[in-house]
Amino acid sequence: MKYLISLLYIIVIMCSGSLWAHTDSTQQVLDNNEKLYPELTISLITCGPGDELYASFGHTGLRIINHDLNTDEVYNYGMFNYSDPNFYTKFTLGKLDYYVAKYAFKDFIAEYIDDDRFVKEQILELAPSQKNAIYKYVEHNILPANRTYKYDFVFDNCATRVRDIFSESLGMNFIFNDVIGNQSISYRTIINTYLSQRHWERFGINLLLGNQIDSNMTNDGSMFLPDFLHGAISFAKFEGTSVVAKENLLATGKPLEENPVNGPLLITFSLMIAVIVVKFTKPLKGLQAVFFRLILLISGILGVIILFMWLGTNHQSCANNFNILWAFPANIIIAFISYKSKVWSKLYALIGMSLIIVTVLVHIIGLQNLPFLEILPLLVALMLIYIDMYQLVPASQKKVVA
């Protein structure tokens, strides 16, 4: 359960939702003769990945120094309430409210220095009226009635929230740098890149996320990751003028540790070898039922989790998950009942073998990029189990089924 919660944390660590009605115009706010602050310094803050699971993708914040009020604060869209009595239930179901908060920048950066993660600052060069437009926007966001929102891992999160500040407050004349260009990069590909040294997390997230994240990223879509937002701001322009005046490295970070051992592949390969050995080694035939039922149970449990994340939660990225073809939920039942000499077991075995073949085709044609390297040994093991199940039906009963 702890590992499942950890995987879910990766999925919800990037926030989403609709924070306030986009029909509200910042220009209207400025036209209401509200106080303008001539001395504002606004910076995009980009924080690097860390060793902890939740820090895999980095973080983004907006820093505003108000020299008139003598304040230096960060607007952080990645906040949520751990003390909520229904925290774990809401967390799992994708119904946990995230919110934006502002607090002292020195407290914000101290956390990243302690974690040995880099912090970059891009100071924006904008006119006072434009800075005030951004300031009014984020101040409107932090009002109690506006601050909370629902999240989505990929399509609307704490990085995209900061991205939208610029287009919403400054309008269509704010143009981000094209960080994608002519490349065709899917959301899953870039997620796998970030998790390349976190094999269990990469494996788990590829089991839980459906084929929506196999679509190619647009330039706007790529900014769900803080590094891509940083790149898009670097050469962004407002009314034809570059908006970044200066970039500072506020804190250096250590390189992430490399992990050459692919744990999931090692485990699934070992399970496949065990199935092959007990199936084709006569002295070990007595262990065959144990190992076969273990594989069926594992695949069934994974299938139930995948189905639950798809249909039972608000996590949009978990929908349309074709891993459910091989991780068949019904296997959790088959693992505990006798299928020897049962007429129905031949039909079930045929269905199981067919689903394995379809799974391979789904991956080959690109309908969903499955964690194929890690699940291939499981597919082989399941195919052998289904073949054995088919062969256990006596010939006379096979004729009846036919």
Side-chain angles (χ1 to χ4, degrees):
M1 178 58 70
K2 182 179 179 181
Y3 179 62
L4 175 59
I5 292 295
S6 296
L7 288 176
L8 292 176
Y9 191 84
I10 274 192
I11 293 176
V12 303
I13 192 64
M14 312 293 260
C15 334
S16 76
S18 181
L19 191 53
W20 63 297
H22 295 311
T23 54
D24 288 344
S25 167
T26 302
Q27 187 59 49
Q28 290 175 338
V29 174
L30 294 177
D31 286 343
N32 287 336
N33 296 319
E34 294 189 14
K35 181 175 177 59
L36 298 180
Y37 296 99
E39 295 295 330
L40 294 174
T41 300
I42 299 180
S43 309
L44 179 71
I45 303 298
T46 304
C47 307
D51 291 328
E52 297 297 328
L53 182 63
Y54 63 82
S56 298
F57 300 96
H59 193 49
T60 294
L62 190 74
R63 179 185 186 183
I64 298 183
I65 302 174
N66 190 326
H67 301 277
D68 298 294
L69 300 179
N70 196 29
T71 58
D72 183 0
E73 297 170 314
V74 67
Y75 293 77
N76 186 350
Y77 286 79
M79 309 293 288
F80 54 86
N81 184 10
Y82 282 104
S83 62
D84 188 322
N86 298 313
F87 173 81
Y88 286 105
T89 300
K90 293 179 179 179
F91 180 80
T92 302
L93 296 177
K95 297 180 179 180
L96 181 68
D97 284 337
Y98 268 61
Y99 64 91
V100 56
K102 69 172 181 178
Y103 52 95
F105 181 72
K106 62 182 179 62
D107 295 331
F108 175 86
I109 194 173
E111 297 178 20
Y112 293 91
I113 293 174
D114 289 343
D115 291 341
D116 212 358
R117 297 166 61 183
F118 75 73
V119 178
K120 299 177 182 178
E121 176 185 46
Q122 293 166 296
I123 300 176
L124 306 184
E125 186 172 23
L126 296 167
S129 61
Q130 296 153 9
K131 293 179 182 180
N132 274 270
I134 293 174
Y135 182 69
K136 299 298 183 184
Y137 181 96
V138 294
E139 282 293 300
H140 184 84
N141 276 186
I142 63 171
L143 294 176
N146 304 325
R147 64 193 304 226
T148 61
Y149 61 96
K150 295 295 187 292
Y151 49 77
D152 181 80
F153 172 57
V154 172
F155 302 109
D156 193 359
N157 61 45
C158 52
T160 65
R161 286 281 153 182
V162 176
R163 174 201 67 191
D164 292 344
I165 290 172
F166 301 103
S167 56
E168 291 291 337
S169 61
L170 300 179
M172 299 298 293
N173 288 327
F174 189 93
I175 307 297
F176 286 103
N177 177 44
D178 187 355
V179 290
I180 296 296
N182 296 322
Q183 301 178 82
S184 296
I185 307 174
S186 71
Y187 292 96
R188 191 185 302 274
T189 297
I190 202 65
I191 290 171
N192 286 339
T193 300
Y194 274 79
L195 298 177
S196 61
Q197 299 301 315
R198 300 179 185 272
H199 301 291
W200 279 109
E201 290 81 357
R202 176 179 50 78
F203 178 56
I205 208 169
N206 279 293
L207 286 180
L208 292 179
L209 297 185
N211 71 347
Q212 292 187 53
I213 67 166
D214 288 297
S215 60
N216 287 334
M217 297 188 299
T218 61
N219 192 57
D220 278 355
S222 71
M223 288 178 253
F224 84 101
L225 290 172
D227 286 339
F228 280 74
L229 178 57
H230 174 272
I233 285 287
S234 292
F235 298 100
K237 294 185 177 182
F238 180 69
E239 296 181 344
T241 303
S242 296
V243 299
V244 174
K246 184 180 181 181
E247 180 166 331
N248 299 319
L249 181 63
L250 302 181
T252 57
K254 66 179 180 180
L256 297 179
E257 296 180 2
E258 294 188 4
N259 180 14
V261 179
N262 188 334
L265 177 60
L266 185 62
I267 296 298
T268 58
F269 186 79
S270 298
L271 290 173
M272 179 191 70
I273 294 299
V275 168
I276 292 173
V277 169
V278 299
K279 179 173 177 60
F280 296 106
T281 305
K282 286 186 178 181
L284 298 176
K285 280 287 186 178
L287 296 174
Q288 180 171 300
V290 175
F291 279 96
F292 282 15
R293 292 181 185 280
L294 176 62
I295 299 297
L296 289 171
L297 179 62
I298 291 172
S299 64
I301 290 173
L302 289 175
V304 170
I305 293 172
I306 290 168
L307 189 63
F308 170 73
M309 293 300 297
W310 179 348
L311 301 178
T313 76
N314 288 355
H315 298 295
Q316 299 178 46
S317 303
C318 294
N320 305 326
N321 190 345
F322 289 98
N323 278 299
I324 204 166
L325 293 172
W326 67 269
F328 200 46
N331 283 349
I332 200 172
I333 299 174
I334 302 302
F336 291 102
I337 64 176
S338 173
Y339 51 79
K340 186 176 181 180
S341 302
K342 303 293 185 181
V343 176
W344 59 262
S345 64
K346 178 185 178 183
L347 178 59
Y348 190 88
L350 288 173
I351 292 173
M353 288 186 282
S354 300
L355 290 177
I356 296 296
I357 295 171
V358 173
T359 298
V360 176
L361 292 176
V362 164
H363 180 76
I364 291 175
I365 67 177
L367 189 57
Q368 181 172 329
N369 187 12
L370 306 173
F372 201 70
L373 180 64
E374 289 85 4
I375 69 170
L376 181 57
L378 283 178
L379 298 184
V380 173
L382 284 167
M383 183 63 80
L384 291 174
I385 292 169
Y386 292 137
I387 291 173
D388 183 78
M389 185 185 297
Y390 181 88
Q391 293 174 339
L392 283 175
V393 181
S396 59
Q397 294 191 32
K398 289 180 184 178
K399 293 179 182 178
V400 173
V401 175

